[in-house]
């Protein structure tokens, strides 16, 4: 039986992303195209053919636009509120002031806003909500011993009534607006003779959940017009509903999603490409210098003291001077070896394009005897190249000795101690100094150094990481998920209409 | 982001001249610019006895993959050789440290090892008869040379490493290594 009654009106639910102030409700009303509505021959017989064609083609669609909670008045309301004596409440007085505006005129299609309290609010079932604390309190109230007797006397129908009301949510807050067609009859003085109003559209804004319920939903006036009806009465008008949500455009979500994705992409790219670089026009060189071992020296308990001479135009970060631990020898392949494995790290920064004088490393092998005297066993000087690569070198050491052998040996045996060369520049530039001593070869020191350099490369380092394809794949997956979620939402909102249709 | 692959093995310990079995604990340490994305930066080899050439073969594999956003703090390998005697006691017989090579290709590295020496006669006697050795309380001393001058050490043997270095994307950041 339900199918026989033709009803094309459905409920629309819209989840709001922006405020309702931007929403425009458009109601288009037109007369039904029936035989009765066709122009009568007598009325048009005296007019020209062109005029008649123009009349027939003239669109009969009246369009009414309303903003959210915009009050428009019917003729009856206009009459009523124009007289101050009819206005007692604050709302009525406000309407009275509004009517004073000369631009305000009564309309055939007008509105009832939330302040009018004209139509009932929708009822929302509260199926999934857990029992709230106030309800718990009511339960306790019912369990009051004094009222047990009266509770027992409740009829079953009242019990069912309570039961049915449990599911109704009384916490939902609604703001409503109704667009109504005024079909009342008025006399010549605009006094109402017969009041007849037809509700065209009802809009309910659920403040709690922030969605808009539109009854009936948006339609197409040409393909699916709504009848203006009230119960069994169908009026000779058709209407269409349209809602403009303001700034919202199709694909806005997608744009927002892609923007977020782009931000993430940029962030990841920045993170990936955030390689520490030297300043522009500067070069950085990293040197790891390792004093590996010493061998062939005369005395035991050796340590190596080192000093690095760095040109003034190089900024250096790291120890320039220091010494290794004292090492007791061990025998390896018929030779005494002192193992150090002392790693020294240097970070040099200098301007590119200038000629640098090389780094000089002066090593002094010193022994400690059993009663604590330090003897210089030998000196060695190494010129460090800053060319990138890995270098190993075995440095021959020599120590200065007095020209007289006896004097030299006795001083070394009895006195020992102290650095033999106070100014190490003698080792770096021996030709610049007049020496009254000779050098005696003593032992060897094995060293190793690795050099890395870095400049602001002329080669663009804005390469795309390999993960770019993965990231794009991720983007596609996100879009797929988004579409899926959108479809789920559509299905979920569709289910809202089912109870209304039934 | 630049990448560094360290593939190789801790091959052997040479000339430690220890009567007991030897094993090695290793740890690869790097600066804050470096992130290990695969492999184990720490581990321990098997223990083995020296052969007639005073060599203990471990052949312990290394496979590490680092990414870096700066070349400061290039990785170093820190080694600690311990001995294991017949009754299950173990103590340190050598510390060593070396920087991982920065040039790509195959490298054979000999890491010299040392151990804090017994400075008094009683300690020496105790170590000879009972066993045991001094250990470093602060292992930072192994790779940082600044405070090491306070130590008196005994030279031990070498640890031999075979390492293959693969570098990726360093050139694109203006790094020259060869």
């Amino acid at each position: 039986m339900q199918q026989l009654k033709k009803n094309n009106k459905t409920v629309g639910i819209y989840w709001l992303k922006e405020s309702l102030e931007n929403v425009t409700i458009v109601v288009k009303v037109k007369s039904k195209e029936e035989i009765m509505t066709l122009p009568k021959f007598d009325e048009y017989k005296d007019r020209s053919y062109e005029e008649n064609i123009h009349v027939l083609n003239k669109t009969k669609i009246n369009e009414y636009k309303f903003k959210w909670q915009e009050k428009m008045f019917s003729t009856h309301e206009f009459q009523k509120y124009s007289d101050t004596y009819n206005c007692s409440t604050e709302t009525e007085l406000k309407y009275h002031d509004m009517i004073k505006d000369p631009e305000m005129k009564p309309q055939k299609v007008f509105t009832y806003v939330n302040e009018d309290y004209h139509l009932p609010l929708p009822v929302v079932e509260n199926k999934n909500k857990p029992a709230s604390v106030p309800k718990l309190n009511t339960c306790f109230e019912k369990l009051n011993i004094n009222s047990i007797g009266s509770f027992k006397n409740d009829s079953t129908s009242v019990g069912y009534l309570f039961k049915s009301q449990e599911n109704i949510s009384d916490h939902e807050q609604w703001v409503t607006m109704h667009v109504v067609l005024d079909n009342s009859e008025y006399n010549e003085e605009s006094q109402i003779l017969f009041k007849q109003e037809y509700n065209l559209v009802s809009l309910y804004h659920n403040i709690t959940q922030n969605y808009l319920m539109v009854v009936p939903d948006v339609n197409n006036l040409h393909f699916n017009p709504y009848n203006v009806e009230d119960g069994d009465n169908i009026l000779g008008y058709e209407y269409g509903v349209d809602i403009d949500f303001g700034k919202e455009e199709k694909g806005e979500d997608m744009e927002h999603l892609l923007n977020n994705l782009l931000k993430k992409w940029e962030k990841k790219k920045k993170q990936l490409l955030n390689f520490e670089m030297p300043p522009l026009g500067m070069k950085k060189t990293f040197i790891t210098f390792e004093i590996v071992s010493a061998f062939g020296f005369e005395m035991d308990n050796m340590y190596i003291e080192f000093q690095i001479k760095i040109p003034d135009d190089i900024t250096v970060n790291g120890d320039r001077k220091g010494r290794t631990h004292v090492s007791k020898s061990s025998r390896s392949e018929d030779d005494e070896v002192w193992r150090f494995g002392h790693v020294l790290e240097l970070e040099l920064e200098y301007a590119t394009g200038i000629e640098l004088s090389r780094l000089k490393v002066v090593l002094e092998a010193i022994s400690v005897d059993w009663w604590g005297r330090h003897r210089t066993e030998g000196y060695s000087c190494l010129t460090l190249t800053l060319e990138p690569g890995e270098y190993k070198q075995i440095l021959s050491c020599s120590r200065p000795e007095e020209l007289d052998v006896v004097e030299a040996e006795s001083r070394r045996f009895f006195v020992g101690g102290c650095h033999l060369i106070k100014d190490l520049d003698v080792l770096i530039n021996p030709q610049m100094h007049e020496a009254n001593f000779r050098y005696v070869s003593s032992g060897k020191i094995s060293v190793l150094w690795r050099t890395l350099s870095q400049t602001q490369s002329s080669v663009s380092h804005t390469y795309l990481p390999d993960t770019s394809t993965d990231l794009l794949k991720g983007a596609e997956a996100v879009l797929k998920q988004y579409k899926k979620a959108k479809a789920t939402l559509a299905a979920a909102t569709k289910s809202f209409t089912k109870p209304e249709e039934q | 982001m630049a990448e560094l692959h360290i593939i190789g093995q801790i091959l052997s310990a040479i000339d430690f001249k220890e009567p007991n079995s030897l094993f090695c604990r290793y740890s690869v340490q790097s600066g804050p610019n470096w992130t290990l994305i695969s492999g184990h930066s720490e581990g321990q080899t098997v223990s083995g006895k020296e052969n007639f050439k005073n060599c203990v073969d471990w052949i312990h594999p290394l496979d590490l993959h680092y990414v870096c956003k700066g070349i400061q703090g290039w990785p170093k390998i820190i080694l600690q050789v311990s001995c294991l005697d017949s009754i299950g006691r173990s103590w340190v017989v050598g510390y060593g440290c070396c920087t991982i090579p920065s040039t790509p290709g195959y490298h054979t590295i000999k890491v010299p090892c040392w151990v804090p020496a017994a400075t008094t006669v009683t300690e020496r006697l105790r170590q000879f008869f009972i066993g045991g050795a001094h250990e470093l309380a602060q292992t930072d001393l192994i790779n940082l040379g600044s405070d090491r001058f306070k130590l008196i050490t005994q030279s031990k043997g070498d640890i031999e490493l075979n390492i293959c270095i693969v570098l990726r994307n360093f050139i694109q950041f203006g790094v020259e290594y060869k």
Side-chain angles (χ1 to χ4, degrees):
Chain A
M1 286 298 286
Q2 200 175 8
Q3 287 175 347
L4 291 172
K5 189 184 174 183
K6 189 186 173 185
N7 189 353
N8 57 353
K9 291 178 183 173
T10 56
V11 181
I13 303 287
Y14 298 90
W15 298 97
L16 298 169
K17 287 162 195 163
E18 290 180 14
S19 72
L20 273 168
E21 290 168 5
N22 300 325
V23 171
T24 310
I25 303 117
V26 183
V27 176
K28 295 171 185 172
V29 181
K30 68 167 186 175
S31 301
K32 272 190 178 178
E33 289 174 356
E34 292 173 343
I35 298 167
M36 292 294 286
T37 58
L38 285 173
K40 289 171 184 171
F41 177 73
D42 295 338
E43 289 177 9
Y44 297 98
K45 66 180 180 182
D46 298 332
R47 297 186 185 183
S48 67
Y49 174 75
E50 285 178 0
E51 277 176 344
N52 285 338
I53 288 294
H54 179 69
V55 165
L56 285 170
N57 288 339
K58 190 175 72 178
T59 175
K60 293 169 189 172
I61 299 170
N62 296 315
E63 192 175 287
Y64 302 92
K65 286 186 180 176
F66 307 98
K67 287 281 177 189
W68 177 248
Q69 296 298 318
E70 186 187 11
K71 178 67 184 169
M72 288 290 167
F73 299 96
S74 65
T75 314
H76 165 62
E77 280 184 318
F78 205 84
Q79 286 291 329
K80 182 187 170 188
Y81 297 130
S82 58
D83 193 349
T84 324
Y85 294 107
N86 293 331
C87 304
S88 55
T89 63
E90 279 186 20
T91 314
E92 285 169 342
L93 288 167
K94 193 175 111 185
Y95 292 161
H96 176 71
D97 293 337
M98 285 170 72
I99 283 168
K100 283 179 184 173
D101 186 1
E103 287 182 7
M104 185 62 78
K105 284 178 183 174
Q107 281 189 182
K108 191 172 177 64
V109 176
F110 65 102
T111 58
Y112 286 126
V113 294
N114 196 51
E115 290 169 335
D116 292 327
Y117 300 108
H118 269 274
L119 290 173
L121 296 173
V123 173
V124 175
E125 283 192 12
N126 189 22
K127 286 177 182 173
N128 299 324
K129 276 196 174 180
S132 56
V133 177
K135 281 181 182 173
L136 198 68
N137 291 335
T138 56
C139 287
F140 280 116
E141 279 171 16
K142 283 180 183 177
L143 282 171
N144 193 351
I145 299 166
N146 297 330
S147 60
I148 283 176
S150 61
F151 187 65
K152 274 181 182 176
N153 293 335
D154 281 349
S155 66
T156 49
S157 61
V158 177
Y160 279 119
L161 185 65
F162 281 124
K163 200 174 179 182
S164 64
Q165 280 182 347
E166 277 175 8
N167 287 334
I168 294 169
S169 171
D170 52 352
H171 301 293
E172 303 283 339
Q173 289 187 338
W174 295 92
V175 177
T176 58
M177 182 180 174
H178 307 279
V179 181
V180 182
L181 177 77
D182 180 23
N183 197 40
S184 306
E185 286 182 24
Y186 299 92
N187 63 11
E188 289 170 355
E189 292 171 358
S190 301
Q191 285 176 334
I192 194 160
L193 299 173
F194 171 64
K195 190 180 176 184
Q196 194 176 34
E197 290 172 355
Y198 293 91
N199 191 22
L200 300 182
V201 192
S202 295
L203 298 119
Y204 306 97
H205 177 218
N206 187 319
I207 297 168
T208 322
Q209 305 287 338
N210 195 30
Y211 64 84
L212 184 72
M213 191 189 288
V214 183
V215 188
D217 196 10
V218 173
N219 70 329
N220 189 310
L221 183 60
H222 297 288
F223 302 115
N224 182 32
Y226 294 141
N227 288 323
V228 179
E229 57 189 340
D230 181 16
D232 296 331
N233 299 328
I234 297 175
L235 217 65
Y237 293 104
E238 286 176 337
Y239 71 99
V241 181
D242 194 13
I243 295 175
D244 182 12
F245 284 93
K247 291 175 186 173
E248 194 189 9
E249 290 169 8
K250 279 187 177 177
E252 192 198 20
D253 292 348
M254 194 73 79
E255 192 185 328
H256 182 65
L257 198 70
L258 286 171
N259 279 334
N260 280 349
L261 205 64
L262 190 71
K263 275 181 196 170
K264 277 190 180 175
W265 162 266
E266 292 287 342
K267 198 175 167 185
K268 186 164 184 179
K269 195 178 165 186
K270 198 178 168 185
Q271 193 186 348
L272 283 172
L273 301 179
N274 191 17
F275 202 89
E276 280 186 25
M277 301 291 282
L280 204 65
M282 300 297 281
K283 188 173 186 174
K284 271 191 174 181
T285 300
F286 299 87
I287 300 172
T288 49
F289 185 79
E290 192 177 335
I291 302 167
V292 181
S293 58
F295 51 93
F297 287 98
E298 192 183 343
M299 306 288 277
D300 200 3
N301 295 325
M302 296 278 298
Y303 67 90
I304 312 285
E305 202 167 278
F306 59 87
Q307 195 172 341
I308 302 167
K309 300 274 183 188
I310 295 169
D312 294 334
D313 43 6
I314 296 178
T315 316
V316 66
N317 187 10
D319 295 333
R320 295 186 191 194
K321 205 173 174 182
R323 50 169 278 194
T324 65
H325 54 82
V326 177
S327 178
K328 293 176 187 289
S329 66
S330 68
R331 197 153 191 88
S332 174
E333 294 172 0
D334 301 329
D335 205 355
E336 295 291 329
V337 181
W338 291 266
R339 291 181 171 89
F340 298 106
H342 188 103
V343 180
L344 182 71
E345 286 181 330
L346 288 173
E347 187 182 325
L348 312 175
E349 191 175 317
Y350 49 93
T352 50
I354 59 162
E355 273 196 29
L356 287 171
S357 45
R358 302 230 170 145
L359 269 68
K360 303 278 184 184
V361 182
V362 179
L363 300 168
E364 184 181 357
I366 301 169
S367 67
V368 186
D369 67 9
W370 63 277
W371 48 303
R373 289 184 309 174
H374 293 239
R375 282 191 180 84
T376 298
E377 294 294 325
Y379 288 99
S380 187
C381 182
L382 169 72
T383 305
L384 275 188
T385 172
L386 296 179
E387 289 297 313
E390 187 177 320
Y391 307 92
K392 275 181 190 173
Q393 206 156 332
I394 293 170
L395 306 170
S396 293
C397 294
S398 59
R399 65 167 189 269
E401 200 175 72
E402 289 85 350
L403 294 171
D404 184 1
V405 181
V406 179
E407 188 192 344
E409 287 297 325
S410 57
R411 188 201 58 77
R412 184 171 162 74
F413 181 77
F414 290 108
V415 183
C418 73
H419 298 291
L420 295 176
I421 299 173
K422 284 183 179 170
D423 184 11
L424 293 174
D425 196 49
V426 177
L427 296 166
I428 296 164
N429 299 309
Q431 69 281 6
M432 304 285 285
H433 298 269
E434 192 185 352
N436 56 352
F437 53 82
R438 60 180 179 174
Y439 282 103
V440 179
S441 293
S442 50
K444 289 178 179 176
I445 301 172
S446 170
V447 292
L448 162 73
W449 73 98
R450 299 184 176 101
T451 308
L452 276 171
S453 65
Q454 190 185 20
T455 46
Q456 282 276 9
S457 171
S458 57
V459 182
S460 171
H461 56 268
T462 55
Y463 78 106
L464 284 174
D466 287 348
T467 51
S468 60
T469 48
D470 294 338
L471 206 65
L472 285 173
K473 276 179 192 171
E476 283 172 7
V478 167
L479 288 173
K480 206 175 269 181
Q481 286 289 331
Y482 168 73
K483 281 179 185 174
K484 199 177 172 184
K486 205 174 174 184
T488 315
L489 181 69
T493 50
K494 201 177 175 183
S495 67
F496 265 94
T497 61
K498 280 181 182 175
E500 292 289 330
E501 283 173 353
Q502 287 166 4
Chain B
M1 200 169 266
E3 294 172 46
L4 168 70
H5 290 268
I6 304 165
I7 304 158
Q9 51 197 355
I10 302 171
L11 204 65
S12 57
I14 307 158
D15 286 336
F16 272 76
K17 291 170 188 160
E18 281 284 332
N20 300 311
S21 300
L22 297 178
F23 63 91
C24 178
R25 289 196 180 108
Y26 70 91
S27 167
V28 182
Q29 293 188 359
S30 54
N33 287 335
W34 294 74
T35 311
L36 180 71
I37 54 172
S38 76
H40 301 286
S41 63
E42 289 182 339
Q44 182 180 313
T45 66
V46 293
S47 68
K49 280 210 165 189
E50 285 186 344
N51 60 16
F52 68 98
K53 288 180 181 172
N54 292 328
C55 175
V56 179
D57 291 323
W58 288 317
I59 326 286
H60 185 88
L62 293 173
D63 189 354
L64 303 165
H65 182 190
Y66 279 94
V67 290
C68 71
K69 56 174 187 173
I71 51 176
Q72 293 96 333
W74 195 274
K76 285 177 191 170
I77 186 162
I78 294 156
L79 302 157
Q80 180 186 308
V81 183
S82 302
C83 71
L84 183 70
D85 71 2
S86 53
I87 54 171
R89 298 178 306 164
S90 71
W91 59 88
V92 176
V93 294
Y95 293 106
C97 172
C98 82
T99 317
I100 298 292
S102 53
T103 47
Y106 181 80
H107 302 265
T108 300
I109 306 165
K110 277 190 174 177
V111 183
C113 290
W114 47 267
V115 71
T119 47
T120 59
V121 180
T122 47
E123 278 175 5
R124 252 182 261 172
L125 285 170
R126 194 169 58 198
Q127 284 184 12
F128 184 79
F129 288 108
I130 303 172
H134 289 300
E135 289 189 18
L136 292 177
Q138 295 176 341
T139 48
D140 291 349
L141 282 177
I142 305 166
N143 56 329
L144 298 174
S146 53
D147 283 339
R148 226 200 270 181
F149 65 91
K150 296 170 188 170
L151 286 174
I152 297 171
T153 64
Q154 172 65 53
S155 293
K156 301 298 281 186
D158 293 318
I159 297 173
E160 197 173 345
L161 307 174
N162 282 348
I163 286 178
C164 270
I165 296 294
V166 180
L167 301 177
R168 189 162 182 252
N169 295 332
F170 276 90
I171 293 171
Q172 301 189 39
F173 296 111
V175 178
E176 290 177 59
Y177 44 78
K178 217 169 187 180

